[in-house]
């Protein structure tokens, strides 16, 4: 997909993420948009620079894309995957919907991220309540782990979840990857159980709430949600 992007090292504040912001002067390029000499999860289709016009290293890059919906997906449920280096905050119609590798709280051009090499992360299930029929805007700011970081990578896959939300007798279970951890997200009634094999024995995970983050220990582990 094509993205407008701004990577001159400026601090754009917060206005850039809003739907009415004029990004017409920004360059446009296809994802992946990156400055990376090593391997990438997808081909690089737009090459970014890593220094501003004065030769200073760039810490934060900004990206925007407009997309049109003929109707709002059921319940505003979206599924997100991304490829970033190092961290990212993502907004839809001006509201934050996801952050990865960046601590909670306000962010600016100097905010750092946890070091992370580009890889597909997700899927992450989003509940978005401000989608509209017609034009919407997804915006993202990618931050580096340090001022001398030599690479930057950005790409997003966003899908509408158009099935009806789970009824009380139904359960929707999504298992995704985030760094070295596994993230388990579910909707519907029931407890979470784990087992070393598909046939059991199954043990309830005490106090588990969605999303549940699990750090693998090298042994196979299976999960289900039920009563």
């Amino acid at each position: 997909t094509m993205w407008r992007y701004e990577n001159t090292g400026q601090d754009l504040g917060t206005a850039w993420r809003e739907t009415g912001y004029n990004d017409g002067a920004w360059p446009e390029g296809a994802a992946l948009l990156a400055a990376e000499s090593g391997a990438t999860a997808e081909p690089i289709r737009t090459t970014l620079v890593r220094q501003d016009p004065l030769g200073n290293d760039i810490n934060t890059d900004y990206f925007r894309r407009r997309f049109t919906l003929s109707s709002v997906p059921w319940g505003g449920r979206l599924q997100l995957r991304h490829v970033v280096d190092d961290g990212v905050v993502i907004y839809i119609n001006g509201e934050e919907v996801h952050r990865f590798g960046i601590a909670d709280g306000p962010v600016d051009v100097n905010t750092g991220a946890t070091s992370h090499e580009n890889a597909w992360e997700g899927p992450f299930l989003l509940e978005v309540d401000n989608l509209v029929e017609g034009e919407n805007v997804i915006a993202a700011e990618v931050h580096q782990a340090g001022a001398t970081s030599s690479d930057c990578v950005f790409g997003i896959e966003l899908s509408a979840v158009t099935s009806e939300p789970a009824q009380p007798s139904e359960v929707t279970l999504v298992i995704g990857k985030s760094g070295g951890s596994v993230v388990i997200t579910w909707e519907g009634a029931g407890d979470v159980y784990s087992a070393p094999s598909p046939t059991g024995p199954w043990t309830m995970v005490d106090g588990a709430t969605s999303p549940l983050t699990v750090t693998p220990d090298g042994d196979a582990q299976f999960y289900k949600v039920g009563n």
Side-chain angles (χ1 to χ4, degrees):
T1 54
M2 301 295 292
W3 290 83
R4 295 283 183 179
Y5 64 95
E6 208 289 342
N7 73 323
T8 61
Q10 299 182 66
D11 187 347
L12 299 186
T14 60
W16 69 275
R17 68 183 69 152
E18 302 297 333
T19 56
Y21 183 82
N22 183 3
D23 58 16
W26 289 17
E28 188 175 33
L32 287 181
L33 301 99
E36 173 61 80
S37 59
T40 54
E42 295 284 337
I44 297 174
R45 299 180 177 91
T46 302
T47 300
L48 301 176
V49 299
R50 289 300 305 126
Q51 293 184 323
D52 67 18
L54 298 178
N56 301 308
D57 292 315
I58 297 172
N59 185 70
T60 301
D61 298 75
Y62 303 92
F63 304 88
R64 286 171 54 92
R65 176 176 168 81
R66 302 175 189 275
F67 62 98
T68 301
L69 295 176
S70 58
S71 62
V72 176
W74 188 288
R77 300 164 72 237
L78 302 174
Q79 183 170 281
L80 169 74
R81 295 201 307 154
H82 55 63
V83 178
V84 297
D85 181 333
D86 287 297
V88 67
V89 185
I90 298 173
Y91 310 86
I92 291 181
N93 294 338
E95 295 184 9
E96 180 179 334
V97 295
H98 177 78
R99 69 170 58 193
F100 177 85
I102 298 177
D104 292 339
V107 294
D108 61 28
V109 72
N110 296 313
T111 300
T114 302
S115 180
H116 176 73
E117 289 300 324
N118 77 92
W120 277 112
E121 302 288 356
F124 304 98
L125 187 63
L126 309 179
E127 302 285 349
V128 182
D129 60 8
N130 66 340
L131 292 171
V132 297
E133 292 186 10
E135 187 176 86
N136 295 261
V137 173
I138 181 170
E141 52 185 293
V142 173
H143 294 249
Q144 299 306 311
T148 59
S149 175
S150 63
D151 49 8
C152 174
V153 180
F154 171 76
I156 281 180
E157 177 188 87
L158 188 67
S159 306
V161 181
T162 57
S163 59
E164 296 186 8
Q167 301 302 313
S169 60
E170 300 174 339
V171 175
T172 299
L173 178 67
V174 176
I175 299 178
K177 176 177 175 291
S178 178
S181 299
V182 174
V183 180
I184 304 169
T185 307
W186 66 92
E187 292 182 353
D191 297 311
V192 179
Y193 294 83
S194 67
S197 75
T199 58
W202 293 93
T203 303
M204 187 172 70
V205 181
D206 293 332
T209 58
S210 179
L212 174 65
T213 300
V214 178
T215 301
D217 59 7
D219 296 327
Q221 198 73 7
F222 297 82
Y223 291 88
K224 70 176 183 179
V225 178
N227 297 311

